[in-house]
Amino acid sequence: MSAAVLCKNCPFRKSSPKAGEIGGSVPVRDDAEAMRAVVRDCTDGMKVMQCHKSSDRSPRPCAGFLSVVGYDSVGVRLAVMIGAVRKSDVGRKIRGLYGSLREMLLKADHLDMPEVRS
């Protein structure tokens, strides 16, 4: 298994394009409940946020997610236990990232989700 690599336009980077900008993420604005479900799947559920540049055929974990959210995600804890994610990638300090998932959602995607703990 190779190390998680932070993409140049990872949504966890403060310098990445924001929602509505060219190259920015496109959150589900019309269905806030669907967006909340996605966030819950990646924090309280069994999923690990995948890199937006990976595919279903060749999924890779998001390095920004592993750094910022890390072990607060149940899915990350399980993935490390079964060897699907490198322990050294979790919580790795990377300069220039948002301090939390909630901050990233608010500043990059313009979504206020106060129930997000990390």
Side-chain angles (χ1 to χ4, degrees):
M1 142 184 31
S2 58
V5 177
L6 189 69
C7 296
K8 288 183 180 180
N9 62 340
C10 176
F12 282 92
R13 281 187 191 266
K14 291 178 181 179
S15 61
S16 288
K18 313 298 183 246
E21 298 175 354
I22 295 173
S25 59
V26 183
V28 181
R29 293 176 187 268
D30 296 338
D31 191 351
E33 198 50 46
M35 188 65 174
R36 285 185 181 89
V38 169
V39 171
R40 273 192 302 272
D41 280 350
C42 291
T43 54
D44 298 334
M46 305 291 188
K47 298 192 183 228
V48 174
M49 184 177 286
Q50 295 298 313
C51 174
H52 65 282
K53 290 189 176 178
S54 68
S55 68
D56 289 340
R57 285 186 172 188
S58 180
R60 290 176 303 168
C62 172
F65 182 79
L66 293 177
S67 174
V68 172
V69 177
Y71 287 117
D72 286 342
S73 165
V74 174
V76 169
R77 285 181 260 161
L78 292 171
V80 168
M81 284 175 37
I82 64 170
V85 167
R86 290 168 36 130
K87 189 176 183 177
S88 59
D89 287 334
V90 181
R92 182 177 70 196
K93 298 296 179 206
I94 303 173
R95 291 180 59 196
L97 300 185
Y98 290 109
S100 69
L101 175 60
R102 183 172 189 273
E103 181 185 14
M104 185 275 289
L105 290 168
L106 185 61
K107 293 187 177 179
D109 290 338
H110 315 297
L111 294 169
D112 188 10
M113 297 177 65
E115 70 276 8
V116 174
R117 6 174 209 118
S118 52

